[in-house]
């Protein structure tokens, strides 16, 4: 993965932009469920991208998911435009 930064400081933000409560996503890391994001919920967490088994996965329940996400990692500079 191009986002994989082993032994670096990684943070991940994920938001469920759906508006219907029945439309949620299940978030897993390496096949282990860590929680659910219901409509309007978001999460910000550290992520140890130790290997390819540490991939973050989301599964939409009830409808297609509209997600917003970003990965921040050490040694990368984010730029903005106006």
């Amino acid at each position: 993965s191009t986002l994989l930064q082993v032994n670096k400081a990684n943070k991940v933000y994920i938001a469920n932009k759906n508006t219907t409560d029945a439309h949620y996503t299940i978030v897993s890391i390496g096949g282990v469920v860590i929680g659910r994001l219901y409509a309007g919920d978001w999460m910000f967490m550290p992520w140890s991208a130790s290997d390819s088994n540490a991939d973050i996965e989301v599964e939409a329940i009830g409808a297609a998911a509209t997600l917003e996400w970003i990965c921040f990692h050490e040694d990368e500079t984010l730029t903005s435009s106006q």
Side-chain angles (χ1 to χ4, degrees):
S1 168
T2 58
L3 296 178
L4 186 65
Q5 294 291 314
V6 177
N7 298 322
K8 299 286 185 177
N10 299 288
K11 308 290 187 289
V12 174
Y13 163 83
I14 304 172
N16 181 346
K17 304 305 275 184
N18 287 10
T19 57
T20 302
D21 289 339
H23 302 166
Y24 63 93
T25 58
I26 297 173
V27 181
S28 304
I29 298 177
V32 176
V33 173
I34 62 167
R36 294 179 178 187
L37 292 177
Y38 290 92
D41 283 350
W42 58 274
M43 64 184 289
F44 186 76
M45 67 176 185
W47 174 42
S48 178
S50 56
D51 57 40
S52 61
N53 292 325
D55 286 349
I56 297 171
E57 299 175 354
V58 293
E59 177 185 0
I61 306 296
T66 301
L67 300 177
E68 180 176 86
W69 64 274
I70 190 166
C71 179
F72 302 93
H73 49 91
E74 188 176 344
D75 296 331
E76 291 293 323
T77 302
L78 298 176
T79 59
S80 63
S81 61
Q82 298 181 4

